[in-house]
Amino acid sequence: MERTLNDMLDLSTLLDLAVDLATRAGAMLMDGFEARHETVGTKTSSTDMVTDLDRASEELIVEGLIRMRPDDGILGEEGASREGSSGIRWVIDPLDGTTNYLYGLPAFAVSIAAELHGAAVVGVVADPSHDEVFTATSGGGARRNGVPIAVSGATELATALVATGFGYRREQRSRQAQVLTEVLPAVRDVRRFGAAAIDLCWVACGRLDAYYEVGIQHWDVAAGGLVATEAGAHVEGLREVSTGSDSARVIAATPGLADPLRQLLDAAPPPT
């Protein structure tokens, strides 16, 4: 996508705003970490949990966006939604990895993406428990705490470290477990961290060689997908996820692993 100098300057402005809000929201989450069990509810199932900190984080981000960018649209996991007139829409996951957060596991993040006419142009994922902020702009590369990052460059599936995630519905988990029985023997090992935004960023910086998941939500992958793409990963399925398809599959992998991983997943037997 070609851009003028003014477009690039605007991306920098959007990036600075997203970094500021994600960092502040991350600090709020860390402040509330010890009191994380105070208010817990559920959403789509008994395993799909939400806390008062999810909502407070989203409120902080949305208030900041409205104050600085009143003409932009917003889509947030916890219900924030507004139409915009600027062509920019912000996609927010205020606490990706809520279950980890509730159990005191340091694998959660704040994810903020800015989309221009439906395509992500800015992505920020703040991982406050590790003091890391992953950033990307379309065509501008990806960074961790300001330092450029790149994918691992792995080419052999048999020695690849692969991450995945599981859905909230029993039937979906059963299918995902069946697929996993095909994947696990074919790779070095499998990890399940429980936060898609972190999975994508860890592919981007080479901590993982690949990641796949079915049934993920748009706000989970909007920012991390751009970070992975700009770090050199092959990323597919983001557009299907953005349409709300429950069957959409996201794959993010160092380029040499994308085809063999896709073939492995496609060859997995149907659920019994």
Side-chain angles (χ1 to χ4, degrees), residues 107-235:
F108 56 89
V110 179
S111 174
I112 304 175
E115 296 179 336
L116 176 61
H117 303 305
V121 292
V122 166
V124 172
V125 176
D127 176 357
S129 61
H130 294 102
D131 197 25
E132 293 184 329
V133 179
F134 294 88
T135 59
T137 57
S138 181
R143 291 170 171 76
R144 180 182 64 229
N145 292 348
V147 179
I149 55 176
V151 295
S152 68
T155 58
E156 297 293 331
L157 195 59
T159 57
L161 186 61
V162 179
T164 190
F166 305 114
Y168 295 113
R169 298 191 307 276
R170 178 177 298 181
E171 298 80 5
Q172 187 180 48
R173 286 172 178 245
S174 176
R175 165 62 175 155
Q176 290 167 331
Q178 289 178 308
V179 172
L180 188 60
T181 64
E182 300 296 319
V183 174
L184 188 54
V187 301
R188 169 167 280 157
D189 212 341
V190 172
R191 297 289 183 266
R192 192 276 203 260
F193 295 108
I198 288 178
D199 289 329
L200 288 162
C201 289
W202 285 1
V203 170
C205 70
R207 290 175 182 162
L208 297 167
D209 299 310
Y211 158 76
Y212 75 93
E213 188 164 355
V214 175
I216 205 71
Q217 298 296 320
H218 186 38
W219 41 72
D220 296 314
V221 296
L226 182 63
V227 173
T229 298
E230 288 296 325
H234 172 88
V235 182

Side-chain angles (χ1 to χ4, degrees), residues 247-265:
S247 61
R249 182 180 67 195
V250 171
I251 294 176
T254 187
L257 297 180
D259 286 342
L261 178 58
R262 184 189 315 105
Q263 291 166 10
L264 178 63
L265 296 172

Side-chain angles (χ1 to χ4, degrees), residues 66-125:
I66 292 174
R67 182 173 63 254
M68 300 300 296
R69 305 276 310 182
D71 297 326
D72 294 351
I74 294 174
L75 174 66
E77 180 179 12
E78 304 310 327
S81 178
R82 59 180 277 157
E83 297 296 325
S85 59
S86 67
I88 296 290
R89 182 177 73 162
W90 298 88
V91 182
I92 307 161
D93 190 337
L95 174 49
D96 185 31
T98 298
T99 301
N100 289 341
Y101 186 80
L102 285 170
Y103 278 82
L105 298 174
F108 56 89
V110 179
S111 174
I112 304 175
E115 296 179 336
L116 176 61
H117 303 305
V121 292
V122 166
V124 172
V125 176

